[in-house]
Amino acid sequence: MRINWNYLKLLALLLVISGLYAFSNHRSERKSVNGLNIEFVGDQNLYITQSMVNKLLIQNYGPLTNVPKEKLVLNTIEKVIEANEMVKSAQVYLTVNGELTSKIVQRKPIGRIEGNSKFYLDEDGKRMPFSMSHSARVPIITGKVTGKSLEDVYEILKYINKDDFLRKNVIGIHIEDVDKYQLKFRMEQFVVYLGGADNLEKKFNNFKAFYTKANKDETLEQYNVVSLEFNNQVVCTKI
């Protein structure tokens, strides 16, 4: 009987590879966490700090250092971090060196509501509580805060944040009533009557054209009210 040595060599090689893989996998599973690394992605204004995340993990899992790798459920750890009201998303993974790393994206406030209830409005239009670690420098929203007015304010804030000039200069929005919104600017004494949250691009383009000309003519200080409520025009009231 002829022996197919090539077949036996191939079979032996497969057995060796399978054994090495099983051994490596077994050793990998027996590895323990040797450190914890918390990284914040994007905005570095920390509404939740590293120490807060550490405390959150310890409360749920105890000290994670030296915990065997096979006992970690990374998806569950992610959900625990994401349950914090300051967190938008979290990615948790274990490095080759055994370091448990968490990359966290925080929620981003774009407005601060100062009404009967006080909270931030975040970039997704959702309510976000104030942070004990950092106070966001965002426009302050006052007046009659309702569901409808809050939706409109969110649309106004989104537009403001896309425009460099408006983002730097608008410091407040006052809700007089539904479809009656007033803007307060950083350096100017006048109030801008925006009207509703419709036709924002046209309204703000008209305002910037007025502002550029009045600033050039050095007449900005003469006005106390600038109204954008009427179609395709800017109506000003002098002091």
Side-chain angles (χ1 to χ4, degrees), residues 8 13 39 46 64 78 82 95 108 116 136 145 159:
L8 290 177
L13 180 62
E39 300 177 14
L46 299 184
L64 286 170
E78 287 178 352
E82 289 173 345
T95 67
K108 183 178 179 180
N116 293 330
V145 178
Y159 191 94

Side-chain angles (χ1 to χ4, degrees), residues 112-119 130 140-145:
R112 180 185 179 109
I113 311 300
E114 290 287 347
N116 293 330
S117 298
K118 300 180 187 295
F119 54 91
F130 292 160
I140 295 175
I141 317 303
T142 57
K144 299 179 181 179
V145 178

Side-chain angles (χ1 to χ4, degrees), residues 43-85:
D43 190 356
Q44 293 304 303
N45 294 323
L46 299 184
Y47 303 101
I48 177 173
T49 63
Q50 290 188 2
S51 61
M52 290 177 181
V53 177
N54 276 326
K55 184 177 180 180
L56 182 65
L57 294 177
I58 289 172
Q59 286 175 342
N60 284 272
Y61 301 102
L64 286 170
T65 305
N66 296 325
V67 172
K69 179 181 175 181
E70 69 269 14
K71 290 188 176 181
L72 293 176
V73 182
L74 300 182
N75 288 340
T76 303
I77 298 176
E78 287 178 352
K79 290 177 181 177
V80 166
I81 297 174
E82 289 173 345
N84 185 279
E85 292 182 301

